[in-house]
Amino acid sequence: MAYFLVFLPLIASFVVGFFGRSLGDKLSQIITCVCVVISAFLSIYIFSDVALHSKIYNYKILSWISSGNLVINWSIYIDTLTSVMLVVVTSVSALVHIYSIGYMSHDPDKPRFMSYLSLFTFMMLMLVTADNFLQLFFGWEGVGLASYLLIGFWYKKKSANAAAIKAFVVNRVGDFGLAIGIFLIFKYLGDINFIDVFKNISTIKEKNIIIFGLEAPLINFICVFLFIGAMGKSAQIFLHTWLPDAMEGPTPVSALIHAATMVTAGVFLVVRCSPIFEYSQFALNMIVIVGATTAFFAATVGLVQNDIKRVIAYSTCSQLGYMFFAVGLGAYHIAIFHLFTHAFFKALLFLGAGSVIHAFHEEQDMRHMGGVWKKIPYTYSLMIIGTLALTGFPMLAGFFSKDAIIEAAYGSQNIFAGYAVTIGVVTAFMTSLYSWRLIFLTFHGNFNNKHTDISKVHDSPLVMIIPLILLSFGAIFSGYLFKEYFIGIHYVQFWNNSIFFVKEFVLHHPPLWFILLTPVLVISAIPLAYLFFVKDKKYLDQFISVNQPLYNFLVNKWYFDELYDFLFVRPAKKIGQFFWKTGDGMIIDGFGPDGLTKIVKMVSDKAVQFQTGFLYHYAFVILIGLSLLLTYFMIF
Amino acid sequence: MNLPILTIIIFLPLIGVLFILLTKGDEKKVNQICFNVSLLTSFLVFILSLLLWSNFDPNSAEFQFIEEQPWIGNIIKYKVGVDGISILFVVLTSLIIPLCIIATSNSVKFRQKDFLIALLLMQTMMLGVFCSLDIFIFYLFFEAGLIPMFLIIGIWGGIRRVYSAFKFFLYTLFGSVFMLIAIIFIYLKAGTTDIQELLKFDIDAKYQYWLWLGFFTSFAVKTPMWPVHTWLPDAHVEAPTSGSVILAAILLKMAGYGFIRFSLGFFPVASYYFAPLIFTLSIIGIIYTSLVALMQKDMKKLIAYSSVAHMGFVTIGIFAFNSQGIEGSIFQMISHGIVSAALFLSVGVIYDRMHTREIADYGGVVNTMPKYSIFFMVFILASLGLPGTSGFIGEFLVLIGVFKVNYLVSLLAATGVVLSACYSLWLYRRVVFGEMTNDNVRSLKDINKFEVMTLLPLLILTIVLGIFPNIILDTISTSVENVVTIYNSKISLLNQTNIK
């Protein structure tokens, strides 16, 4: 059954990818959707079997690489952590597949699109069901590939191509870190199977090594490198620049890959490796700082973006930051809980945004929207649900998971807990602010679009609305329903050793004022947003004109792109040019073969000049030679 | 089996050449017959090489299928045989040549007959290199292979063909002279040219350094290693498609093979001593050529520079002296043989249609050639080492093997993996994606049957080897293990004497 679960999407992808043209659009869509929906049902069944009955599935499919003491298998390994990911991946994927039928209805390349989506799903499943680091790496780069293909799906758009390459390359930088982490593990443990590595990890916890003249515990190096990989995939600060650009892809892609599944792979990796990370306080601290900073950074940028998808992209970035600092504080299960709920409401928001974009005929700029909430009531109300869930409105999904993270930070002993908790609360407020800004700009106020007439704005077809409704159930209930399992008092049983805690994580109950603080801030942001973005734009303009430099700083996304362009892209091109023209052309060839032939030619030209053909020249030379010879004999 | 199968494999192409020489008559007809004959012979060789592989015992580290004949006096024997390290290069060579022959039907427009003769001659020489068990025979094949290649570039090449051909010839000949001197010296010291015996023979450590350098000069040029790589881009750019394919897929591998067989086998002490040199040059090569590749405007030059970077992985892997490193190197060579061949063939496909290699002349090719775009995409992905393709396995094993020995080298080499993603994807985007700006692109026709015949086997191999690399690893592991054990015993012996 697990085989079917994993390989059905691959089969669908292959069949549709190769025979899509002859199968036709309809059949291609049906094949991929059916396969992925079956996968989704299977994963729900497996979830109930594995997570609720504390089982572990472990199958070896085939031997992959065996070289010396390095032996790696293709395998399927499902424990509670994996089964949670399976549910998230396949259910969101299935809904996105169905939604795409409607969203891509005007696109000529439907089979190709569906094939890529299924391929992505397969790669993601390979990633989460791996029982060793290398298969995880296979899935890791595989989802990167699918992401590359899907971002660049509209290959005629120059910006889409650029974004696709950027996503792949930035991820490669992260993958580089992950690979080094794997190398370190293999070098010192001689194995890269999860079970063996986790079992033996305590044997090297005292070991110090020196890298770059820096002596530090080996385990810190391992964790930091693994985390660099996670930062790339999960778009954490410094390696986040690809995520907003990735919005060039079709919206269903953003929902599936860049919100619900692929970007959470980094969180999954760190949680999967919790037996390693638990021994490295240094790495955990680093994760707290990076996560909290990302949460804050992305929220500030999200406040001022005008592209509806980019706002949600930065919001994703920010929420991933929450997950990471939860991980860093040792609250792995809460991080996964947030990952779980986030998948539903963020996919809902993205698909809702897609529906809005659809309604406005491919308009993404929120300044050119507005005033349509009555025209598209389904989309509107579903977006409201998504927003409420994201901002952590009481009793919706985000409330249980996000507030749990903030409370965990409050009770934590970690030295950076104060930093995390402050940012957690402030960011929750900002999240609410930018989310409601999005709602108000998009749906309220005046209709600002010049290209479409308001009468032409219509709600999306049923095939797009139904997935949204199903996701909205997730956004409403997933927090309340699964709270007890994921982070309740019996969480240790539920996770069944798939997450490792050195010492049991105890959630301290903070005082009442603190529990109330976040919801109050979140709710108070609603009227504030209304005031700024609907009621009177004057306040906003005033605020911007007073803080112009800050505003520019935020609009330009803290100048990261410019900085990287200056630091890496341009120097690389310059150096490449220099090596090519000067290094290869002038130095190596100049002194090597070209120089040599030049010298040979010069010498032979000179030599040729001796043969003038005049008899008296030769006679003269003979005379000189003779006299020299005679002199020589006379003296010696 | 008493059949002299290796000799048949090596010299069967020559019989094809004989046939071709004997056909006379109407030019068109002759060309057709010659094409069929050469395709048939090369295909037969391929079948035989598969037969050889299936009869090969992967659990033995010994040379197998050995044949021995006295040749020149008592000194030089004709002796051939294969072990786990060389057999796959035999298979690779006999796989690539038929594809090259098929590719000539599109790319070679005049003197087809002579071209086919050159190709088949090349095949004999290259097979000879990998099978020789006598260093003189090895040297003969190694050098004689230069001549057909020189002609292929010089006659059928592009505008600057003569310059490139001479550059190629001078560079490689320069390297070989030192190897010849080293070989003669070995013979004088050891009294034999038999490789099997020489592998057991301990050459005095004080000579090893110089001899190693002699072989190194030749292999470094052929690999090619930085800074003696500049002949390769020029040779590739000017060579016709089939020439580039042979050059990248097989000719470069002779050096990698030589490093494992001779440098490591004959001169372990010197190899140990010079490993840092190899590491340094390879690392510079990987980063330097990757950056240069980034800036190329000519497709073939870009792939040529990327070849240099990929071969850098091969050399660092070999000098890691452990099983992952060396197995990774061999795998990387096989994989690069397949992938670079496929890339040059892919470039050939659009070159034959548009007659330009400038990247800027393309763009939007996917609109008119969707099938071709899929093929090209897979090969580009394999070239940048995506897991699931053959390109990944080699790089991964090399890096993990080197990491055990020297983390810094591995770390620096791994930056090449990031850079390869940059230049490969950028190339693909500029050629295949985007709007059609050139009118000629609008009238392109998708790949034809011949082209599919050449590209499809390579595509399948790329993916199959990425998912089941053990097909190759199982064959080579015993022999590599043997090389590593012998090497380690010799080095530990050396360390012991040093301590005393």
Side-chain angles (χ1 to χ4, degrees), chain A residues 388-634:
Chain A
L388 289 173
L390 164 68
T391 55
F393 195 82
M395 301 316 283
L396 293 181
F399 170 73
F400 293 103
S401 54
K402 198 201 292 186
D403 284 22
I405 291 179
I406 296 172
E407 282 164 29
Y410 184 85
S412 168
Q413 305 297 320
N414 189 298
I415 43 168
F416 296 105
Y419 179 66
V421 81
T422 319
I423 281 187
V425 174
V426 172
T427 305
F429 175 70
M430 286 197 287
T431 306
S432 185
L433 205 59
Y434 67 68
S435 303
W436 287 101
R437 169 176 177 261
L438 184 149
I439 293 287
F440 290 136
L441 284 181
T442 312
F443 295 103
H444 294 268
N446 301 320
F447 185 78
N448 292 323
N449 197 311
K450 294 187 185 74
H451 306 292
T452 7
D453 194 58
I454 190 159
S455 59
K456 285 207 185 124
V457 172
H458 59 85
D459 225 331
S460 299
L462 219 55
V463 70
M464 286 165 72
I465 293 293
I466 289 175
L468 286 181
I469 293 174
L470 291 173
L471 282 173
S472 74
F473 287 144
I476 298 169
F477 301 115
S478 66
Y480 178 73
L481 286 178
F482 292 97
K483 178 172 172 284
E484 275 309 306
Y485 295 113
F486 279 68
I487 57 171
I489 26 174
H490 299 300
Y491 75 91
V492 175
Q493 268 153 301
F494 175 78
W495 291 107
N496 188 24
N497 286 329
S498 60
I499 300 176
F500 177 78
F501 299 92
V502 163
K503 52 178 190 289
E504 205 168 306
F505 188 87
V506 194
L507 199 57
H508 299 280
H509 281 286
L512 187 67
W513 68 267
F514 186 79
I515 295 180
L516 289 178
L517 178 66
T518 324
V520 167
L521 279 176
V522 162
I523 293 167
S524 66
I526 304 174
L528 196 65
Y530 186 76
L531 181 75
F532 269 146
F533 303 109
V534 183
K535 192 76 190 297
D536 202 338
K537 296 258 166 88
K538 206 170 64 206
Y539 297 114
L540 187 67
D541 293 337
Q542 247 171 20
F543 188 74
I544 290 174
S545 63
V546 172
N547 297 302
Q548 197 65 41
L550 177 69
Y551 179 74
N552 286 341
F553 184 64
L554 295 184
V555 167
N556 289 302
K557 303 158 266 181
W558 292 30
Y559 296 104
F560 268 110
D561 282 330
E562 287 75 7
L563 184 71
Y564 286 173
D565 191 54
F566 176 74
L567 281 183
F568 303 116
V569 181
R570 268 185 280 171
K573 286 185 177 176
K574 277 222 182 87
I575 295 170
Q577 192 75 17
F578 172 79
F579 279 165
W580 178 31
K581 293 289 184 196
T582 314
D584 269 16
M586 281 165 65
I587 298 174
I588 297 176
D589 276 356
F591 289 101
D594 291 356
L596 220 60
T597 43
K598 220 181 264 169
I599 292 169
V600 170
K601 198 162 179 297
M602 216 166 65
V603 171
S604 60
D605 279 349
K606 283 270 149 49
V608 163
Q609 282 171 10
F610 279 114
Q611 303 171 9
T612 51
F614 295 112
L615 200 62
Y616 64 91
H617 281 176
Y618 295 143
F620 186 62
V621 171
I622 291 170
L623 208 65
I624 292 177
L626 199 67
S627 57
L628 281 177
L629 211 65
L630 281 175
T631 330
Y632 178 81
F633 279 125
M634 279 195 303

Side-chain angles (χ1 to χ4, degrees), chain A residues 82 362 383 440 451 467:
Chain A
T82 301
E362 311 308 320
M383 284 287 277
F440 290 136
H451 306 292

Side-chain angles (χ1 to χ4, degrees), chain A residues 17-18 21 62-70 72 74 134 137-138 141-142 145 148-149 152 155-156 158 161-162 165 168-169 172-173 176 180 182-184 186-188 192 210-213 225 572-577 579-580 583-584 588-589 592-594 597, chain B residues 163 167 170-171 226-227 229-230 288 291-292 294-297 305 323-324 327 366-367 370 377 381 384-388 392-393 396-397 399-400 403-404 407-408 410-411 414-415 417-418 420-422 425-426 428-429 433-435 466-470 473-474 481:
Chain A
F18 286 113
R21 274 162 205 269
L62 277 170
S63 153
W64 183 13
I65 298 177
S66 51
S67 166
N69 58 338
L70 179 74
I72 301 158
W74 292 107
L134 204 64
F137 192 75
F138 167 80
E141 289 236 313
L145 165 70
Y148 163 80
L149 292 171
Y155 53 79
K156 287 184 186 169
K158 215 171 171 189
N161 283 319
I165 293 182
F168 197 91
V169 170
R172 263 270 157 129
V173 177
F176 167 80
I180 302 294
I182 297 174
F183 295 163
L184 275 171
F186 179 68
K187 179 173 178 179
Y188 290 100
I192 57 173
I210 302 171
I211 288 189
F212 302 127
F225 280 117
K573 286 185 177 176
K574 277 222 182 87
I575 295 170
Q577 192 75 17
F579 279 165
W580 178 31
D584 269 16
I588 297 176
D589 276 356
D594 291 356
T597 43
Chain B
Y163 170 78
K167 201 170 175 183
L170 281 179
Y171 250 122
W226 186 88
H229 64 280
T230 57
Y288 180 106
L291 286 169
V292 174
L294 205 56
M295 295 316 293
Q296 294 309 305
K297 299 175 179 71
Y305 274 110
S323 49
Q324 280 93 23
E327 284 180 26
V366 67
N367 294 298
M377 172 59 100
L381 292 175
L384 62 82
L386 190 85
F392 169 70
I393 310 288
F396 171 76
L397 286 176
L399 288 175
I400 210 167
F403 196 89
K404 279 164 119 181
Y407 70 89
L408 194 63
S410 183
L411 221 76
T415 57
V417 179
V418 178
S420 75
C422 299
L425 291 179
W426 201 29
Y428 189 78
R429 169 196 155 190
F433 289 147
E435 293 281 356
I467 297 173
F468 307 109
N470 281 342
L473 295 177
D474 287 345
E481 219 63 66

Side-chain angles (χ1 to χ4, degrees), chain A residues 140-381:
Chain A
W140 192 267
E141 289 236 313
V143 290
L145 165 70
S147 160
Y148 163 80
L149 292 171
L150 284 164
I151 296 169
F153 181 75
W154 287 315
Y155 53 79
K156 287 184 186 169
K157 254 167 78 182
K158 215 171 171 189
S159 54
N161 283 319
I165 293 182
K166 188 171 174 185
F168 197 91
V169 170
V170 175
N171 266 301
R172 263 270 157 129
V173 177
D175 297 354
F176 167 80
L178 176 58
I180 302 294
I182 297 174
F183 295 163
L184 275 171
I185 291 172
F186 179 68
K187 179 173 178 179
Y188 290 100
L189 288 173
D191 214 321
I192 57 173
N193 287 321
F194 288 141
I195 297 175
D196 300 317
V197 170
F198 297 159
K199 202 165 60 194
N200 299 329
I201 195 77
S202 52
T203 58
I204 56 161
K205 71 182 172 193
E206 305 294 335
K207 196 175 169 67
N208 277 13
I209 59 163
I210 302 171
I211 288 189
F212 302 127
L214 201 76
E215 189 176 349
L218 166 63
I219 210 146
N220 285 359
F221 280 114
I222 293 177
C223 291
V224 168
F225 280 117
L226 290 179
F227 180 58
I228 290 173
M231 280 170 72
K233 199 107 283 181
S234 293
Q236 293 299 288
I237 193 161
F238 302 123
L239 292 178
H240 67 280
T241 52
W242 64 273
L243 184 62
D245 287 15
M247 297 301 125
E248 292 289 342
T251 309
V253 174
S254 315
L256 176 61
I257 300 184
H258 306 122
T261 55
M262 185 183 88
V263 288
T264 61
V267 182
F268 169 78
L269 171 72
V270 178
V271 176
R272 169 59 84 209
C273 297
S274 52
I276 308 178
F277 279 87
E278 277 292 82
Y279 290 114
S280 171
Q281 195 53 45
F282 175 81
L284 289 176
N285 291 345
M286 177 177 160
I287 295 176
V288 173
I289 295 173
V290 170
T293 311
T294 308
F296 177 74
F297 150 77
T300 57
V301 177
L303 278 172
V304 296
Q305 295 301 308
N306 290 318
D307 185 312
I308 183 169
K309 284 178 71 184
R310 279 179 187 248
V311 175
I312 310 179
Y314 276 106
S315 160
T316 306
C317 212
S318 170
Q319 298 301 313
L320 289 165
Y322 271 102
M323 295 174 209
F324 271 113
F325 78 68
V327 165
L329 297 170
Y332 303 99
H333 54 311
I334 305 180
I336 291 292
F337 187 42
H338 193 52
L339 185 161
F340 180 73
T341 58
H342 175 259
F344 296 110
F345 56 70
K346 195 48 70 67
L348 172 63
L349 280 173
F350 259 122
L351 293 182
S355 182
V356 172
I357 294 166
H358 204 66
F360 279 101
H361 302 283
E362 311 308 320
E363 177 60 66
Q364 299 198 6
D365 193 328
M366 293 191 296
R367 285 170 299 186
H368 301 144
M369 296 179 177
V372 291
W373 65 278
K374 279 184 192 154
K375 299 286 289 183
I376 44 176
Y378 289 114
T379 307
Y380 175 64
S381 44

